[in-house]
Amino acid sequence: MQIDIITCVPALLDSPFSHSILQRAQDKGIVKVQVHNLREYAVNKHGQVDDYAFGGGAGMVLMLEPIVRCIESLQSRREYSEIIYMSPDGELLDQKMANRLSLLKNIIILCGHYKGVDERVREHLITREISIGNYVLSGGELAAAVLADSIIRLIPGVLSNETSALSDSFQDDLVAPPVYTRPAEFNGWKVPEVLLSGNQKLIDEWREEQSVARTEERRPGLLTS
Ligand code: SAH
């Protein structure tokens, strides 16, 4: 899978893909993440990519021409299953959506900034709009990183068996059970006895019970959905 992220502030995306699981996924050749600087497609030599909003009001708007040029240039190189715009009013990201997106071949993620992007981009180029929650960020970059992370870790081969996504929260409409590591006792704080028992059947049953109890307590909506 190739994920192309379009942004006017590429530096904001320097770090998320350069460490840990997401870096390893790229090293293994399972996914390629490329960040594209919208300013390389600017309307003039000053690197202009935004302008005042028609009708007035505070805040700049990302112009459509640089975005059109950038997307067209990417499309001339490969085919994309989705061209996603990160937007607070988009479909809310959840694990099911991440699962579905992880099956796609290539995707473009467009990050808005300032007041957002010229609406005609959304009307004519964007195939899907995704929000990471009902709050407003300064730009789509952090949201794009969240979306890409949620997708990449689900691609087969990215996580090892020990960190398998299948045992994560939401994968089976349950939240994850608690986890512990050494030492087995610290300051009198003990790890549940069953986890030290070596009896895998009992451990699996305990984890299942904990998951269900936690889901009832913290995300009751998941059990009824
Ligand atoms: N004026 C817009 C917000 C612009 S915020 C409005 O009120 O809807 C600037 C950019 O940040 C947006 O274009 C979008 O790309 C991104 N963004 C902000 N909040 C987001 C969220 N919750 N999910 C996804 N992207 C978001």
Side-chain angles (χ1 to χ4, degrees):
M1 176 192 256
Q2 173 143 348
I3 302 179
D4 287 286
I5 306 180
I6 304 173
T7 165
C8 60
V9 197
L12 284 174
L13 289 164
D14 278 351
S15 181
F17 302 105
S18 316
H19 306 278
S20 182
I21 293 169
L22 302 189
Q23 175 67 60
R24 281 202 297 279
Q26 294 172 88
D27 292 344
K28 288 188 201 165
I30 297 170
V31 68
K32 186 167 180 192
V33 180
Q34 277 199 320
V35 176
H36 303 272
N37 187 352
L38 200 53
R39 292 189 199 279
E40 286 171 17
Y41 302 84
V43 290
N44 55 32
K45 63 178 184 337
H46 307 295
Q48 187 183 355
V49 293
D50 58 340
D51 212 335
Y52 296 100
F54 280 128
M60 304 298 275
V61 176
L62 287 182
M63 303 169 86
L64 66 85
E65 287 156 282
I67 296 172
V68 170
R69 281 206 287 270
C70 183
I71 290 178
E72 282 179 351
S73 146
L74 291 172
Q75 281 176 321
S76 70
R77 284 175 248 169
R78 66 191 67 78
E79 274 193 33
Y80 290 92
S81 322
E82 297 277 9
I83 304 177
I84 297 166
Y85 174 54
M86 301 313 302
S87 182
D89 63 4
E91 288 170 81
L92 282 174
L93 175 63
D94 64 10
Q95 194 63 26
K96 284 195 177 66
M97 191 194 291
N99 280 333
R100 272 185 245 115
L101 294 173
S102 74
L103 302 173
L104 300 181
K105 187 140 170 45
N106 302 315
I107 57 175
I108 292 176
I109 306 178
L110 171 66
C111 305
H113 221 87
Y114 315 115
K115 273 316 236 188
V117 300
D118 188 307
E119 186 67 18
R120 290 167 289 181
V121 169
R122 301 173 66 170
E123 281 169 16
H124 299 290
L125 292 173
I126 296 300
T127 60
R128 190 154 194 174
E129 301 190 333
I130 297 176
S131 166
I132 63 161
N134 290 334
Y135 43 83
V136 177
L137 303 165
S138 314
E141 290 75 15
L142 299 181
V146 168
L147 174 64
D149 184 327
S150 74
I151 294 172
I152 293 169
R153 63 196 301 286
L154 293 170
I155 303 173
V158 170
L159 297 183
S160 58
N161 277 345
E162 304 84 74
T163 51
S164 163
L166 294 175
S167 58
D168 281 332
S169 290
F170 310 116
Q171 261 334 98
D172 47 8
D173 285 334
L174 292 173
V175 301
V179 291
Y180 301 84
T181 186
R182 286 186 290 180
E185 185 172 344
F186 174 81
N187 271 352
W189 308 339
K190 288 186 179 152
V191 167
E193 206 60 51
V194 59
L195 295 177
L196 311 173
S197 69
N199 184 332
Q200 200 56 52
K201 187 168 169 287
L202 281 184
I203 292 172
D204 290 345
E205 281 168 10
W206 180 85
R207 286 185 170 149
E208 174 77 16
E209 280 162 25
Q210 291 287 317
S211 267
V212 172
R214 283 209 163 181
T215 308
E216 277 167 354
E217 184 192 318
R218 297 171 185 219
R219 292 288 187 281
L222 286 179
L223 296 168
T224 53
S225 68

